[in-house]
């Protein structure tokens, strides 16, 4: 401690000043802030009825503020119905409109006031898109390889597979290996889940067709195409479709930043395969149908052709739905663009 009285006084002043700024000042500031917060007026609330989207019956009434988000609303609803979870729930302002995104605030809804109604829909048990895709695409690989590798046990065959059968196996399995890798590294889903019932429906479709196709192509009595033109035309069409499909999936990935749900008008990039975006909204489906048409020509089997027809019809329905959504969402969407078939549909 300093010896002189003046020096001692200065030393005490510095100690007191340091104690104030290091301890008392932050405590005093926190106290003032807490007092200010406690006296802030609460946000005005409004009573909102949650009605069943099918029957229109009121399920519950909640008090919300303009800052309440749809995700907050889901959490409040879950407290009343614990078996629910966010991806299973959707809310609409009216039955004809789209489901509201989770980040939407109640205050952002036009003409929404006290006594308004939100329509709730329970989507049922959900499962992740990636899980469904893995199940859909890994199953056909095993189904096809079962008949290809176990010909001796299944058919009692003693003759080796032909070149056409070997190439057909590489084409079919290669397609689904590509899809598995795309699911792992390329696809970015706008929705996290889908109804769990789709898992059984989709797996039955893919696994069932794969079994039928493989059974007949790998049968000892299978007859390869009679002309080389079918072989080369089929293989070329298949490879063209696969490359185009992969190119479009890469383009779609680049249009949506990772972790976001951004939607933009699909446009081609530097890859020439993506030029088809100028003509159709879903060129990935166009190319995939082409690849299956090529496989059907290459193998010349009924079930491969049937698979191309049925799959093409399903992809056309998906493309038409996405095409309608694009036109509703974007006012400047290209008018001459079709859904999947250039210049036609």
């Amino acid at each position: 401690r300093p010896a002189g009285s003046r020096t001692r006084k200065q030393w005490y002043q510095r100690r007191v000043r340091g104690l104030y700024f290091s301890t008392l000042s932050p405590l005093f500031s926190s106290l003032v802030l807490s007092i200010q917060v406690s006296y802030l007026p609460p946000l005005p609330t409004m009573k909102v009825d949650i009605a069943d989207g099918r029957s229109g019956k009121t399920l519950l009434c909640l008090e919300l503020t303009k800052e309440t988000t749809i995700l907050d609303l889901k959490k409040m609803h879950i407290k009343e119905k614990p078996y629910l979870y966010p991806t299973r729930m959707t809310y609409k302002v009216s039955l004809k409109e789209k489901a509201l995104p989770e980040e939407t605030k109640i205050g952002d809804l036009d003409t929404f006031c006290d006594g308004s109604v939100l329509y709730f829909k329970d989507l049922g048990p959900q499962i992740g898109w990636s899980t469904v895709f893995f199940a859909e695409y890994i199953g056909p690989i095993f189904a096809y390889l079962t008949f290809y590798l176990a010909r001796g046990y299944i058919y009692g065959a003693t003759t080796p597979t032909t070149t056409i059968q070997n190439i057909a196996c590489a084409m079919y399995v290669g397609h689904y290996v590509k899809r598995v890798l795309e699911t792992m590294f390329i696809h970015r889903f706008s929705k996290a889940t889908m109804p769990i019932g789709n898992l059984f429906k989709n797996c039955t479709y893919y696994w069932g067709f794969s079994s039928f196709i493989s059974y007949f192509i790998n049968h000892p009595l299978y007859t390869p195409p009679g002309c080389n033109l079918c072989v080369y035309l089929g293989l070329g069409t298949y490879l063209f479709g696969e490359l185009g499909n992969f190119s479009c999936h890469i383009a779609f990935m680049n249009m949506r930043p990772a972790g976001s749900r951004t939607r933009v008008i699909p446009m081609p990039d530097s890859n020439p395969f993506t030029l088809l975006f100028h003509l159709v909204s879903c060129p990935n489906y166009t190319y995939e149908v082409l690849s299956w048409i090529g496989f059907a020509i290459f193998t010349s089997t009924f079930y491969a052709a049937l698979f191309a027809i049925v799959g093409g019809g399903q992809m056309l329905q998906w493309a038409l739905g996405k095409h309608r959504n694009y036109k509703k969402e974007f006012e400047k969407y290209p008018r001459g663009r079709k859904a999947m078939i250039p210049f036609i549909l």
Side-chain angles (χ1 to χ4, degrees), residues 63-254:
E63 288 193 358
L64 311 177
T65 69
K66 290 187 177 182
E67 294 299 314
T68 304
T69 64
I70 296 300
L71 180 58
D72 296 330
L73 172 60
K74 289 181 178 182
K75 294 177 180 178
M76 297 168 69
H77 197 158
I78 290 171
K79 290 181 180 179
E80 301 292 332
K81 304 288 183 180
Y83 67 89
L84 296 172
Y85 43 90
T87 56
R88 182 173 175 168
M89 310 160 72
T90 61
Y91 297 90
K92 298 180 180 181
V93 175
S94 68
L95 298 177
K96 294 182 179 180
E97 295 187 21
K98 285 185 176 181
L100 297 169
E102 289 186 339
E103 61 271 15
T104 302
K105 294 183 179 180
I106 296 298
D108 297 335
L109 303 177
D110 297 334
T111 68
F112 211 76
C113 59
D114 191 60
S116 295
V117 178
L118 281 177
Y119 294 93
F120 163 74
K121 183 178 180 181
D122 181 1
L123 300 176
Q126 300 288 296
I127 188 171
W129 273 88
S130 296
T131 303
V132 175
F133 273 26
F134 281 127
E136 288 178 1
Y137 301 145
I138 292 176
I141 296 174
F142 287 102
Y144 196 99
L145 289 177
T146 297
F147 293 95
Y148 177 76
L149 297 175
R151 295 174 74 247
Y153 296 100
I154 297 172
Y155 311 107
T158 56
T159 57
T161 53
T162 64
T163 302
I164 295 295
Q165 288 173 321
N166 293 336
I167 297 176
C169 178
M171 293 167 68
Y172 197 89
V173 173
H175 171 82
Y176 286 104
V177 169
K178 177 181 80 72
R179 297 308 302 269
V180 169
L181 294 175
E182 288 174 342
T183 301
M184 293 172 63
F185 303 110
I186 295 178
H187 286 321
R188 291 173 179 170
F189 305 103
S190 58
K191 297 181 179 179
T193 63
M194 68 165 68
I196 196 170
N198 289 359
L199 173 67
F200 305 103
K201 179 178 65 176
N202 295 1
C203 287
T204 299
Y205 168 76
Y206 283 106
W207 297 18
F209 259 114
S210 298
S211 299
F212 277 110
I213 291 170
S214 182
Y215 176 84
F216 288 103
I217 291 177
N218 294 297
H219 198 284
L221 299 179
Y222 166 72
T223 304
C227 63
N228 290 333
L229 177 61
C230 292
V231 173
Y232 294 122
L233 177 63
L235 182 59
T237 304
Y238 169 85
L239 292 175
F240 180 80
E242 290 293 298
L243 288 172
N245 179 260
F246 177 75
S247 299
C248 291
H249 287 161
I250 293 291
F252 277 126
M253 179 189 71
N254 294 332

Side-chain angles (χ1 to χ4, degrees), residues 261-275:
R261 296 183 180 181
T262 303
R263 286 173 60 86
V264 298
I265 297 176
M267 298 299 290
D269 54 24
S270 58
N271 188 326
F273 280 101
T274 64
L275 291 174

